Amino acid sequence: MASRRARQRYCRCGTPLAKDNTERQCARCQHLSRDKLIAPPEVPAEFWHTDQFEEAFAAQHMGWVARVYRTHPYQHAVYGPGGISQTLLGQWLGVGQPQISRYETGPPIEHLDTLQHWAQTLRIPPRRLWFQLPAEKKRQPATTAPAVGHPANAGASNGVLEPPTEIVARRAELQTSGLTGELVAELEQFLLDLPDRYETAGPLILAPEVVDARRLVHRLLKGNQRLKQRAQLFELAGRLSGLLSYMAVNLGNFNTAQAYGAEAFELARFIEHDELTTWVRGTQSFAAYYTGNYKRSLILAQDGQRYAKDSLQAVRLVINGEARALGKLQDRRGADEAVTRAYRLLERFPPAAGMTPCISFGIYSEARTASNAATAYLALKQTKQVLGYAERAREIVDTSSSQWSYALIRLDIAMALLSAEQPEPEGASALGAEALNAVRYQRIESIQQRTRELAIALRPWRHLPTVADFLADVSGWLTAK
């Protein structure tokens, strides 16, 4: 009898794991997991706008700024409930933990060189500083400089270095044909790195990089390339436009999302790329869902399945597109069938571990599938099913770095608690508060919509202190710029 073939294992990003890899991640994802120890994280612009930061900057006290930075709620998802430790911050800054403690609790730092070094290391926006940074190009300290080609900073300039897309563009101008295989590979790597960076950096930071890359590919297409390279450029253009469509939804710019989606679909069909067409249709369905056009969301998801066949994106189309839209359309039978079909499709592929990235071009993990099933049943007020699927995903979500998934699953459970025979408004408020604290500085449209829905559903119980506090917090968050 032939020996049984070992089951192929996959990283959460969709990359097949080598037989001799005993870890649960590919080499690239292992590097990404270590990034949190190598250098300070990328943070969104809203990160710096808190009362604690205002007080620290007004006092011109860099030690206070550093304490607020490392204990900021934004850091909790990656570094734990205590945020960044004094020891780790000291490693980035090149000093010991006792010195960090003295800086945070003692008198303000007065030496300009030290102030500039700390500001550059932590990437503090210059407009918040009470001193000038060096006029010349600023060097990153050796303690924060990643290795060449480090995926965590691919595409990020942070005002210190040029983004890779600019470097690729400059090199392309020197090529007689306008393009080489190496340049295409660099652009493809930029795309591969985006999913894992997306939920940490967010669309406000990453969208400009993707726009630059999209413009670069468009310029390259005006040159002369071999047929194969030209097809690769069209595929890159389609993927970039599709990603920009997804980001535009998260930013609440639905007209732009629709335009990018239509462009991405045309590019995918021009090169007859069914896999890309499938992914784009899923993104267009996602955009229609958050504009409230559930019939169109359903049609787009079903149309995408014409191209999906047995591709990795079939699960996404069925569970994220079809099942959720059917739930909103109050088609219980259709939603049941779609959820069942999504799980049957999932069984055809090697399982993806963890919580796969929301913008991944690969397979959905079981956790992401379950969380989408919970959302579908929430619209149908099927509390038992919502809680069942949410619990299947929650343990994995809570140990992942996905702050958005952490928030969304809590918002779904909170809404389900209010739909139960015996509503639990205080429990729902507590879950809503957990969700809001996780994404307070990472604002995206889907979470804003669902937080608003929870707040509206809680109004009948606003006389309860816990509910009243949550509603006041939500009101301030939704109206904050």
Side-chain angles (χ1 to χ4, degrees):
M1 178 183 292
S3 60
R4 186 175 181 179
R5 185 179 179 181
R7 191 175 188 180
Q8 175 67 60
R9 297 182 303 119
Y10 286 76
C11 175
R12 64 186 178 88
C13 69
T15 302
L17 296 177
K19 292 181 180 179
D20 60 351
N21 184 348
T22 58
E23 304 293 332
R24 297 179 63 184
Q25 294 177 308
C26 64
R28 186 171 66 87
C29 285
Q30 289 178 40
H31 282 306
L32 289 172
S33 296
R34 291 194 292 267
D35 288 343
K36 66 179 185 180
L37 304 179
I38 295 173
E42 294 179 83
V43 298
E46 298 94 340
F47 175 89
W48 303 99
H49 298 290
T50 68
D51 292 341
Q52 293 85 353
F53 269 130
E54 294 299 334
E55 181 182 356
F57 286 122
Q60 299 185 357
H61 197 303
M62 185 60 81
W64 292 2
V65 172
R67 183 174 62 231
V68 176
Y69 175 91
R70 68 178 188 81
T71 59
H72 196 294
Y74 177 82
Q75 314 286 19
H76 295 178
V78 176
Y79 298 95
I84 297 167
S85 68
Q86 290 181 334
T87 300
L88 180 56
L89 181 67
Q91 290 176 8
W92 293 338
L93 296 169
V95 299
Q97 181 273 329
Q99 289 174 280
I100 294 294
S101 180
R102 286 196 295 272
Y103 283 133
E104 290 186 356
T105 58
I109 297 171
E110 296 182 354
H111 297 289
L112 181 60
D113 288 349
T114 302
L115 290 170
Q116 291 174 335
H117 171 60
W118 283 40
Q120 290 177 293
T121 301
L122 301 181
R123 306 185 185 114
I124 300 173
R127 65 181 180 279
R128 304 307 305 270
L129 301 174
W130 58 93
F131 53 88
Q132 295 292 320
L133 293 174
E136 67 274 11
K137 264 194 175 179
K138 299 173 275 297
R139 291 184 300 137
Q140 281 188 314
T143 55
T144 68
V148 174
H150 200 289
N153 289 326
S157 65
N158 298 314
V160 179
L161 301 171
E162 296 170 282
T165 49
E166 289 188 14
I167 300 170
V168 173
R170 186 166 60 243
R171 291 176 59 195
E173 290 175 359
L174 299 178
Q175 303 292 332
T176 56
S177 66
L179 192 68
T180 67
E182 185 180 353
L183 295 178
V184 170
E186 290 183 26
L187 286 167
E188 289 176 339
Q189 186 61 51
F190 171 77
L191 267 175
L192 285 173
D193 293 335
L194 277 174
D196 286 309
R197 296 176 60 209
Y198 187 59
E199 290 195 38
T200 302
L204 278 174
I205 290 177
L206 290 186
E209 295 181 24
V210 182
V211 168
D212 286 344
R214 180 65 186 87
R215 288 171 175 165
L216 166 60
V217 172
H218 190 72
R219 290 200 303 272
L220 292 172
L221 278 167
K222 293 180 179 180
N224 298 314
Q225 299 92 21
R226 298 183 182 92
L227 187 60
K228 180 180 178 180
Q229 291 178 331
R230 197 157 185 81
Q232 289 175 315
L233 283 179
F234 273 109
E235 181 182 348
L236 285 168
R239 290 187 187 276
L240 289 165
S241 291
L243 286 168
L244 286 168
S245 178
Y246 195 101
M247 293 182 184
V249 174
N250 285 159
L251 292 170
N253 194 332
F254 296 111
N255 289 334
T256 302
Q258 185 176 357
Y260 274 128
E263 179 181 55
F265 181 78
E266 289 177 358
L267 288 164
R269 296 319 305 147
F270 181 75
I271 56 173
E272 298 181 348
H273 197 303
D274 287 350
E275 183 182 352
L276 177 55
T277 303
T278 300
W279 188 89
V280 171
R281 276 300 195 228
T283 300
Q284 290 177 303
S285 173
F286 170 78
Y289 180 89
Y290 279 106
T291 61
N293 193 341
Y294 305 120
K295 287 186 178 180
R296 177 167 173 77
S297 177
L298 176 62
I299 290 170
L300 288 165
Q302 291 174 335
D303 183 66
Q305 292 171 57
R306 293 195 300 120
Y307 305 98
K309 301 182 178 71
D310 292 325
S311 75
L312 298 176
Q313 285 296 304
V315 177
R316 178 192 180 211
L317 282 167
V318 175
I319 195 70
N320 182 265
E322 193 174 348
R324 295 201 313 166
L326 287 166
K328 286 290 189 178
L329 293 169
Q330 299 303 300
D331 185 344
R332 169 68 190 276
R333 192 177 201 176
D336 283 340
E337 190 277 330
V339 171
T340 301
R341 184 155 35 94
Y343 270 91
R344 286 176 179 167
L345 283 168
L346 202 61
E347 292 173 355
R348 298 182 185 179
F349 302 99
M355 193 69 178
T356 45
C358 60
I359 59 171
S360 172
F361 289 99
I363 186 70
Y364 260 26
S365 64
E366 199 277 332
R368 187 163 290 281
T369 303
S371 64
N372 277 270
T375 303
Y377 283 117
L378 180 63
L380 294 163
K381 299 188 183 302
Q382 299 298 312
T383 303
K384 181 179 179 181
Q385 284 82 355
V386 175
L387 297 178
Y389 281 107
E391 286 305 317
R392 291 172 70 166
R394 187 171 177 177
E395 183 179 353
I396 293 173
V397 168
D398 287 1
T399 57
S400 77
S401 61
S402 176
Q403 293 171 290
W404 296 335
S405 297
Y406 179 95
L408 288 168
I409 203 162
R410 278 160 172 73
L411 292 170
D412 280 353
I413 295 173
M415 287 292 286
L417 293 179
L418 295 180
S419 300
E421 291 184 9
Q422 295 183 335
E424 299 179 36
E426 292 182 307
S429 296
L431 285 166
E434 289 181 16
L436 190 55
N437 287 331
V439 296
R440 191 176 297 274
Y441 306 100
Q442 275 284 39
R443 183 185 299 268
I444 59 170
E445 181 66 21
S446 56
I447 291 176
Q448 288 187 130
Q449 284 191 19
R450 285 153 80 169
T451 301
R452 189 179 294 111
E453 290 170 0
L454 176 61
I456 292 171
L458 278 166
R459 284 178 185 170
W461 296 278
R462 58 183 177 273
H463 60 280
L464 298 174
T466 305
V467 175
D469 288 344
F470 174 66
L471 292 179
D473 196 11
V474 170
S475 178
W477 182 66
L478 290 174
T479 56
K481 294 181 179 180

